[in-house]
Amino acid sequence: MATRSKDVRPSDPAPNPEPGGVIRAAKPRQSAKGEQTRARLIAAARNLLAGDGLAPFTTRNVAALSGVTHGMCHYHFANRTDLIVAVIEDIRPEWIAPLQDAVDSPGTFEQRADRVIALLTKPEAADLSRLHSSLHWFALNDDRVRESLEAEYRLWRSCFVALFQTLADELGGGLDPRPLGEALASAADGLAAIQSLDADVDAPSVMRTLVRGLAAGASNA
């Protein structure tokens, strides 16, 4: 008799037929234990990706680090790429959500810009910095990873566009916020790279100069 994985609960009773008499089977819902196992695997994958590179990033090593069987790892993630994509989604609250909050919270353009500058000039945690570097490397060699990471960066850049949309609204329209937002996003990304090599760079002054220069140029256009 076939056994059922402990990480999945039985599906709900068969649903009522759809119009035409077609019955679609309900998808099994993941149990709390299954969700915990998945979270442990993602955390282990993140640690390996952000590590010193001595341990290869494989599903077998992820399983060992998280304390689950290799088979259970493949039950939740079909392959290594699935794990990497899950990590990309998992870190969104750490680098994109705070930027969204800084832009979307009430205030003038200047107030929102100050929040964005304060956020962008905080030193990035070392593990997150290493993790981003590792993800970029995998993106060069895996199309699915690249597509997933590109989607996250589009979301990240859209925050800067939204910031300058606030300025456009204050000026009464006629201002295209996209090139301004894209320019600031590119500069912020470059500044992060510089900071990783030179801790003495005055990041707040650089960011304030960039934002004020872009805003002044837009206002005088």
Side-chain angles (χ1 to χ4, degrees), residues 46 50 124-136 192 196:
R46 172 172 174 162
E124 188 176 46
D127 65 329
L128 189 58
S129 178
R130 291 194 301 270
L131 181 55
H132 273 117
S133 296
S134 181
L135 292 173
H136 280 113
S196 68

Side-chain angles (χ1 to χ4, degrees), residues 2 11 27 46 77 94-95 98 109 114 122 135 141 191 196:
S11 59
K27 293 182 179 180
R46 172 172 174 162
F77 300 98
E94 297 177 47
W95 69 294
F109 167 78
D114 284 344
K122 287 172 55 179
L135 292 173
N141 300 278
L191 180 60
S196 68

Side-chain angles (χ1 to χ4, degrees), residues 153-165:
Y153 270 96
R154 282 195 297 271
L155 186 59
W156 185 73
R157 293 196 305 272
S158 72
C159 297
F160 295 92
V161 176
L163 173 64
F164 280 98
Q165 181 61 58

Side-chain angles (χ1 to χ4, degrees), residues 76-99:
H76 288 279
F77 300 98
N79 49 45
R80 185 178 72 170
T81 296
D82 281 352
L83 268 168
I84 298 173
V85 170
V87 169
I88 291 173
E89 295 172 353
D90 187 66
I91 63 174
R92 185 183 301 159
E94 297 177 47
W95 69 294
I96 293 180
L99 184 59

Side-chain angles (χ1 to χ4, degrees), residues 55-70:
F57 184 77
T58 64
T59 55
R60 192 172 297 278
N61 282 340
V62 169
L65 185 60
S66 60
V68 305
T69 66
H70 191 213

Side-chain angles (χ1 to χ4, degrees), residues 11 50 57 89 111 117 124 126 131 169 171 188 195-196 206 210:
S11 59
F57 184 77
E89 295 172 353
Q111 290 170 331
I117 292 169
E124 188 176 46
L131 181 55
D169 294 340
L171 295 176
Q195 282 183 286
S196 68
V206 172
L210 285 168

